[in-house]
Amino acid sequence: DQQVKQNSPSLSVQEGRISILNCDYTNSMFDYFLWYKKYPAEGPTFLISISSIKDKNEDGRFTVFLNKSAKHLSLHIVPSQPGDSAVYFCAASASNTGNQFYFGTGTSLTVIP
Amino acid sequence: EAGVVQSPRYKIIEKKQPVAFWCNPISGHNTLYWYLQNLGQGPELLIRYENEEAVDDSQLPKDRFSAERLKGVDSTLKIQPAELGDSAVYLCASSTMTGGKETQYFGPGTRLLVL
C-alpha cells in the first residue's frame, strides 16, 4: 500500500517559470516531510523539509507547502532553471514509527531552456 | 566532508550467484539504511541500523538477504542466491539529526543486474 503518492510521473516547464510538484499521503500520523532531488546515476540528494507544525518552508528558490487537512504537500521552484531537471521524490515519516521514511514514486522534471 | 560511499557501482551476475554490496556512511552518522529502488519507484526500506544494531529489518527478505554492520560503521548487504527479480538499485543512506529532525544522506547506489 503506497502511503506517499506522486501522481504525476513527469512535468515539463519553461525556464524562468514556476515548477510545482505535488505529493499526497494517506497516513495522518506523518509529521515530517522531505523532498529529494535525484540526478541519473546518483543517489537522492536532500533538498528541503517541513515539519507538520508549519505550513510553509522556504529555502532560496525552493518552497514547500503543507496542507495537513488535505494530506497534501507541494514543492515550488521559482524561477526554474535547466539544472533543476531531475527526478524529485517526496518522503514522509512519523515520529511514533521509529523514523521510517516512506517515499513517493518520483516526478521527473524537465526544465526547457 | 565525504559523502556516503558505496561499492561496487555496478554489478552483473547470473541468477543463483551470491552478491555483496558495501557501504561506508558519513563519519559520525550512527544511523544507516539500506534501500531497494526499482525502476520508476521510490526507495523502499530494507533495513535500518542504529550503530551496530538492526532496529528495523521487517522488510528484509531474510531467506536470501542478509546484512551486517559489525563495528557500527561500514555495512554490507548480501544476497544469496540472487534471483532475476533482485535487479534494482541498492541505496545506502546515513542520517543525522538537525533541529531535532532526521535528514538522510544517500550514496550513489549499486545497480545490480541479475541475468
Side-chain angles (χ1 to χ4, degrees), chain A residues 54-65:
Chain A
K54 295 185 176 181
D55 55 18
K56 176 184 174 181
N57 189 26
E58 189 173 352
D59 184 2
R61 297 185 296 113
F62 302 90
T63 303
V64 56
F65 295 92

Side-chain angles (χ1 to χ4, degrees), chain A residues 28-50:
Chain A
S28 58
M29 299 304 295
F30 286 149
D31 56 7
Y32 186 51
F33 306 88
L34 308 92
W35 284 94
Y36 283 84
K37 176 180 180 179
K38 184 182 181 305
Y39 292 117
E42 295 183 11
T45 303
F46 170 72
L47 193 57
I48 192 169
S49 64
I50 188 167

Side-chain angles (χ1 to χ4, degrees), chain A residues 32 36 41 43 89 98 101 104, chain B residues 9 37 42 48 56 102 104 106-107:
Chain A
Y32 186 51
Y36 283 84
F89 292 96
F101 286 75
Chain B
R9 292 294 309 275
Q37 185 175 18
R48 176 168 69 97
D56 185 355
E102 182 178 0
Q104 295 186 15
F106 285 85

Side-chain angles (χ1 to χ4, degrees), chain B residues 59-73:
Chain B
Q59 306 301 315
L60 190 72
K62 298 181 185 62
D63 57 336
R64 297 184 301 107
F65 286 66
S66 64
E68 59 183 15
R69 194 185 184 199
L70 293 176
K71 296 183 179 180
V73 181

Side-chain angles (χ1 to χ4, degrees), chain B residues 83-102:
Chain B
E83 297 179 353
L84 295 176
D86 296 332
S87 296
V89 176
Y90 291 83
L91 292 164
C92 179
S94 65
S95 69
T96 186
M97 299 295 286
T98 304
K101 289 297 183 181
E102 182 178 0

Side-chain angles (χ1 to χ4, degrees), chain A residues 86-100:
Chain A
V87 177
Y88 289 79
F89 292 96
C90 65
S93 70
S95 301
N96 64 351
T97 59
N99 290 330
Q100 181 172 350

